[in-house]
Amino acid sequence: MAPYLTMNSGLSRVPIRDSFELHYPLLLVHIYSSFIALAIGWLQFVPRLRERKPHIHRWIGRGYLTMVTIGSVSGLVVGRYTDSYTRQVAFLILVVLWIVTGWKGYRYARRRQFEEHRVWMIRSYAVTLVAATARIVTPLCILFYIANKGLPDGGVEVVLAHVMEVNIFLGLVINILITEWLIVKKRT
């Protein structure tokens, strides 16, 4: 988040396309809305809040889903301007999963099927956490790459370029496996 607090496109970690004037503003919208979803989403899983203050739970849930929607739509556009086709596909999959899991969670809540609502919101938040998981696994992937293949000419930057092609997918797989394991464990 730090480079984006200044709103200086020159500090962006994502290469900005000058040919698309809205690229940087939409990147900021995506980053801020996704961060807010990440920051408030966990509150939905606090039992005391759900049980004692259901109206607050609902308002936070609406806020979370609003941020997910904004983050998804802006992420879809921003992802389109990613140089790597592999990363474009990863972001497209994340957007689809984010929208589907959030929508299903919302629909189950509206139908008052709260157990299914809870399961789909767990899945939604797992998708929200993919970027964080991808950042956690990145150094591990770098170490694994170097241990497996050695340090190539060009150094860590070359390794990082390879790792950045798979870290989103790896974060998604890890989060899905953990989430589904927790869901199944709770049901049995």
Side-chain angles (χ1 to χ4, degrees):
M1 279 282 303
Y4 302 101
L5 294 175
T6 64
M7 297 192 186
N8 177 353
S9 62
L11 299 176
S12 176
R13 292 182 182 158
V14 175
I16 303 301
R17 297 285 177 102
D18 294 331
S19 60
F20 179 51
E21 204 172 294
L22 293 176
H23 188 213
Y24 188 68
L26 284 173
L27 177 64
L28 291 178
V29 167
H30 172 69
I31 289 169
Y32 290 135
S33 58
S34 300
F35 179 77
I36 292 168
L38 183 68
I40 67 174
W42 68 272
L43 293 168
Q44 296 300 89
F45 303 108
V46 177
R48 268 190 168 179
L49 181 65
R50 274 194 324 267
E51 294 160 7
R52 294 184 181 177
K53 307 270 186 188
H55 62 288
I56 293 174
H57 173 80
R58 284 190 294 274
W59 277 106
I60 293 171
R62 289 179 190 124
Y64 170 79
L65 288 174
T66 299
M67 294 300 106
V68 164
T69 302
I70 294 168
S72 294
V73 172
S74 58
L76 187 61
V77 176
V78 170
R80 165 69 182 87
Y81 290 92
T82 301
D83 289 333
S84 163
Y85 178 72
T86 304
R87 290 183 70 74
Q88 284 180 354
V89 171
F91 292 136
L92 177 62
I93 290 169
L94 284 176
V95 164
V96 168
L97 289 174
W98 220 11
I99 290 170
V100 167
T101 57
W103 176 251
K104 288 187 77 77
Y106 172 77
R107 293 298 300 153
Y108 279 115
R110 298 293 297 164
R111 293 178 186 154
R112 306 190 65 73
Q113 294 174 296
F114 295 119
E115 183 55 32
E116 286 303 312
H117 163 71
R118 184 185 68 78
V119 165
W120 281 100
M121 294 316 293
I122 290 169
R123 289 176 176 140
S124 176
Y125 198 63
V127 175
T128 304
L129 288 169
V130 166
T133 305
R135 281 169 180 74
I136 291 168
V137 300
T138 295
L140 300 174
C141 289
I142 291 170
L143 291 173
F144 181 75
Y145 184 100
I146 293 171
N148 221 13
K149 295 186 173 226
L151 191 61
D153 294 339
V156 175
E157 290 80 24
V158 173
V159 176
L160 186 58
H162 288 290
V163 168
M164 295 302 283
E165 291 293 310
V166 298
N167 71 334
I168 296 293
F169 284 117
L170 189 55
L172 180 60
V173 168
I174 289 169
N175 285 10
I176 287 173
L177 289 174
I178 291 171
T179 300
E180 294 305 316
W181 176 75
L182 289 170
I183 290 168
V184 168
K185 184 179 176 193
K186 174 107 174 144
R187 286 183 172 174
T188 56

